Amino acid sequence: MEDYDLPSDALFLGFDSSTQSLKATVLNSHLNIVATELFHFDSDLPHYNTKDGVFRDPSDNGRIVSPTIMWVEALDLMLQKLAKSGLDFGKIAAVSGSGQQHGSVYWKSGSSAVLSSLDPTKPLVDQFGDAFSVKESPIWMDSSTTAQCREIEKAVGGALELARMTGSRAHERYTGPQIKKIFQTQPQVYQDTERISLVSSFMACLLIGAYASIDETDGAGMNLMDIKQRIWSTVALEATAPDLEDKLGKLAPAYAVAGHIAPYFVQRFNFHKNCLVIQWSGDNPNSLAGLTLNKPGDLAISLGTSDTVFGISSDPQPRLEGHVFPNPVDKESYMVMLVYKNGSLTREDIRNRYAEKSWDAFNKSLEQMPPLNGGKIGFYYKDHEILPPLPVGFHRYILDNFTGDTLEGLTEREVQEFDSPAEIRALIEGQFLSMRAHAERFGMPAPPNRIIATGGASANQRILSSIASIFGCDVYTVQRPDSASLGAALPAAHGWLCNKKGSFVPISGMYMDKLEKTSLSCKLAVSAGNSELVAKYTILMKKRMEIENSLVEKLGRH
Ligand code: ADP
Ligand code: XUL
């Protein structure tokens, strides 16, 4: 029997540098949460003037960015907040983190010297003002690189070929197309960039005071990595920009040590000098770790700024739709995922228009309309959607005489608006019918064994009920909805253990047999909907997909 025990007084710190906030979770050696903190970019750092943590280009060309230096200042302030709350930094054995996926940081030539000579008497924000060749980082919400996507696909032999090689066809938010756009539109800036980091590896750079590797899991979100060999793909690099490999540095497994914490943090916050920084990874992959997903039949649904659905597969078949990443906590298997851009921010938008800006009123409306919404179907895209690739716009249809018994003879009639409760039910049913339809088409289990829900909106029981009825399975939740920062604290402990053992150890050994006693356990939130209703939702889902396909035909980005 392996010894998976962690030193009894050790702490493990996990961050989540997400779209709207920076979160932190501290686990003790029994994997129980002992501290959490949150920093909200819009309200806690108002001088950056972000809305939802981002700047949307007013010309509406799909450009969406965040000020890179804001993430640096947030780290400064988060550490101060944790210090004030009494956290004993000296006990932290390892730190890791999650980053919003795909977002990129461009280090100006000469910046490695800035990283390696941080002055502990000054805050970080004062030292990185001139370190970035691109001051506004393109993030996952950006959809301004359609031309570059098509060029990359063409250069490697087509979209499906790129998906087979890198795990995904080209997507606007993926880092490769973003880099290509910078190379094409600002060649001088590209040339003056010595290193390109992802949000995840960027935050690790700050903590180790040197350039950190990109981890193999988040690296798969770039359209640049050979998914099977877990190395940069020469063909994809060449299709993207010249001299790119040098600027990307090496790849490392998600459980590897990135380095020791930089002296800056030892002197300023009293971290122990032996504290390890474990590779940071993407927020979705780390959520997979934090939700202890380990059976192929289980699905996780994350309801954060984006909505995502993901699971594990040992033999994934990359397609035009969806994404394949290496499993961050396993050497053999993969993670499969679908992503929706219109998640929480679109739910908030509809709530503000039709439910007095209150989740209570939103939930009352949801209850007021019976399931299936009397055949009222809505498509709500406040931002350009990823899945399906449709532009901003709302589309509403009524299926007259809808009973849910047959697809035959069902015709839709387009309308301008529904009454308020129907609007809200159309939004929620629409989001999850779409998710079920695409998940099934991607080969995810149908019905799933169970769904584990996480992210901000997983606190909403009414939303979880709709998920249980539409997917036809039980829905579980975790103790806290921020699984990405918890999911980073756990890999911090896992990476620490792998380092101590001198080789990879399965993460499940750390909590097997004692999951219930840890903060990782999940509990049943809603039981599966009755099978008659699930069957009716299946009919509604098929009809919805017919309408969606014709919308894509008419309006989609090709
Ligand atoms: P991210 O990590 O992507 O920044 P979070 O997982 O923290 O996002 O989720 C934030 C979102 O959670 C908010 O935008 C908000 O709309 C949503 N949210 C919070 N509480 C509720 C609720 N009771 N019902 C629905 N959505 C909620
Ligand atoms: C994943 C994606 C989003 C971001 C959100 O592909 O684009 O889920 O990771 O932070």
Side-chain angles (χ1 to χ4, degrees):
M1 177 78 190
E2 279 269 17
D3 167 23
Y4 285 108
D5 283 346
L6 301 165
S8 62
D9 63 345
L11 298 175
F12 299 91
L13 170 58
F15 291 106
D16 176 22
S17 180
S18 74
T19 320
Q20 303 190 58
S21 61
L22 178 68
K23 305 185 187 98
T25 298
V26 183
L27 283 177
N28 64 15
S29 58
H30 302 292
L31 305 181
N32 281 310
I33 296 175
V34 292
T36 58
E37 286 293 351
L38 179 136
F39 231 91
H40 203 254
F41 300 137
D42 290 0
S43 51
D44 293 322
L45 292 168
H47 46 286
Y48 291 102
N49 284 319
T50 55
K51 164 98 178 56
D52 312 317
V54 307
F55 298 142
R56 292 179 164 81
D57 196 321
S59 66
D60 195 31
N61 61 5
R63 180 175 172 267
I64 301 189
V65 295
S66 292
T68 313
I69 193 79
M70 176 177 80
W71 299 328
V72 178
E73 186 167 2
L75 179 63
D76 256 334
L77 298 175
M78 173 58 91
L79 289 170
Q80 285 174 29
K81 210 168 177 178
L82 286 167
K84 253 195 212 138
S85 75
L87 178 66
D88 183 350
F89 285 100
K91 289 191 171 155
I92 297 174
V95 186
S96 189
S98 307
Q100 50 169 310
Q101 295 195 260
H102 321 295
S104 42
V105 171
Y106 299 80
W107 294 95
K108 196 191 269 183
S109 299
S111 293
S112 68
V114 178
L115 267 173
S116 61
S117 57
L118 292 173
D119 176 350
T121 64
K122 292 188 188 139
L124 291 173
V125 67
D126 291 354
Q127 306 185 56
F128 286 99
D130 199 30
F132 311 118
S133 51
V134 175
K135 293 205 179 318
E136 296 178 334
S137 285
I139 65 141
W140 68 274
M141 296 174 82
D142 185 283
S143 58
S144 67
T145 63
T146 309
Q148 287 77 17
C149 288
R150 297 300 84 83
E151 283 173 40
I152 292 171
E153 287 174 347
K154 195 161 167 238
V156 305
L160 194 58
E161 188 50 34
L162 185 66
R164 287 197 186 115
M165 243 158 51
T166 68
S168 302
R169 73 173 300 171
H171 289 274
E172 281 86 349
R173 68 190 191 287
Y174 268 48
T175 324
Q178 294 291 344
I179 293 172
K180 190 174 183 69
K181 182 178 153 200
I182 289 176
F183 165 65
Q184 288 178 338
T185 57
Q186 304 172 75
Q188 196 51 49
V189 166
Y190 180 77
Q191 219 185 331
D192 198 23
T193 299
E194 69 180 19
R195 180 58 76 109
I196 302 174
S197 298
L198 293 177
V199 176
S200 53
S201 61
F202 167 64
M203 299 296 284
C205 293
L206 300 178
L207 290 171
I208 64 172
Y211 289 140
S213 302
I214 290 176
D215 93 281
E216 293 163 355
T217 300
D218 215 15
M222 302 172 82
N223 282 138
L224 291 173
M225 194 189 86
D226 179 321
I227 182 91
K228 290 211 180 78
Q229 299 194 60
R230 305 185 179 195
I231 52 174
W232 298 122
S233 151
T234 313
V235 185
L237 290 175
E238 279 170 7
T240 304
D243 308 321
L244 188 49
E245 193 163 0
D246 281 351
K247 296 188 199 289
L248 294 173
K250 288 200 170 56
L251 285 155
Y255 50 82
V257 173
H260 280 101
I261 193 113
Y264 174 88
F265 299 96
V266 175
Q267 289 164 39
R268 202 169 160 91
F269 294 99
N270 297 321
F271 273 90
H272 194 283
K273 66 177 180 15
N274 292 339
C275 172
L276 296 179
V277 179
I278 304 301
Q279 287 286 150
W280 283 47
S281 188
D283 50 1
N284 293 296
N286 272 346
S287 283
L288 179 134
L291 297 174
T292 66
L293 222 62
N294 49 30
K295 289 196 203 81
D298 287 352
L299 278 189
I301 292 185
S302 169
L303 306 169
T305 310
S306 61
D307 283 350
T308 60
V309 51
F310 49 86
I312 290 174
S313 167
S314 48
D315 180 27
Q317 306 296 329
R319 298 162 213 230
L320 292 183
E321 199 162 89
H323 313 292
V324 178
F325 305 133
N327 182 338
V329 285
D330 183 37
K331 294 210 304 196
E332 309 297 333
S333 63
Y334 293 85
M335 163 175 184
V336 286
M337 178 170 83
L338 301 175
V339 181
Y340 292 85
K341 198 193 286 186
N342 288 272
S344 283
L345 299 179
T346 302
R347 285 187 286 273
E348 279 175 29
D349 186 52
I350 296 295
R351 178 201 66 179
N352 296 350
R353 288 173 197 236
Y354 301 105
E356 303 150 28
K357 303 189 174 175
S358 127
W359 289 121
D360 279 346
F362 183 95
N363 288 349
K364 274 199 194 106
S365 293
L366 201 51
E367 265 169 69
Q368 216 173 314
M369 283 304 289
L372 305 164
N373 210 21
K376 296 192 175 80
I377 299 181
F379 296 79
Y380 300 87
Y381 304 124
K382 174 180 139 44
D383 286 301
H384 296 303
E385 183 48 65
I386 296 164
L387 194 57
L390 283 173
V392 172
F394 291 177
H395 314 277
R396 303 168 176 90
Y397 303 87
I398 298 183
L399 305 176
D400 287 316
N401 308 317
F402 178 75
T403 59
D405 296 323
T406 172
L407 195 59
E408 244 161 74
L410 275 183
T411 50
E412 69 276 14
R413 178 162 58 84
E414 187 160 8
V415 296
Q416 283 310 307
E417 215 169 6
F418 300 137
D419 53 43
S420 298
E423 208 74 80
I424 284 165
R425 190 164 268 284
L427 166 74
I428 292 298
E429 291 192 343
Q431 288 185 324
F432 297 108
L433 283 171
S434 168
M435 201 180 263
R436 182 182 146 195
H438 287 282
E440 288 182 6
R441 205 158 84 176
F442 192 48
M444 288 175 168
N449 249 348
R450 61 172 182 164
I451 285 173
I452 310 177
T454 179
S458 69
N460 188 321
Q461 191 77 8
R462 302 292 337 153
I463 294 181
L464 300 183
S465 288
S466 292
I467 297 178
S469 304
I470 288 171
F471 278 83
C473 68
D474 295 344
V475 176
Y476 286 71
T477 48
V478 272
Q479 280 183 24
R480 299 185 57 85
D482 51 339
S483 59
S485 66
L486 173 63
L490 181 66
H494 181 228
W496 185 91
L497 201 59
C498 292
N499 182 61
K500 185 177 158 222
K501 302 262 174 197
S503 67
F504 175 83
V505 294
I507 195 167
S508 56
M510 296 176 65
Y511 49 72
M512 225 168 29
D513 306 330
K514 57 176 185 191
L515 196 59
E516 296 314 312
K517 291 192 195 135
T518 73
S519 295
L520 306 167
S521 65
C522 42
K523 61 173 196 308
L524 182 65
V526 191
S527 299
N530 76 59
S531 55
E532 220 172 285
L533 180 59
V534 177
K536 288 180 191 237
Y537 269 126
T538 305
I539 303 277
L540 192 61
M541 174 180 84
K542 289 187 175 154
K543 184 65 202 171
R544 184 187 167 87
M545 285 306 275
E546 280 179 25
I547 304 175
E548 182 186 296
N549 290 341
S550 58
L551 279 171
V552 172
E553 204 46 39
K554 221 169 35 188
L555 308 168
R557 298 191 301 279
H558 297 288

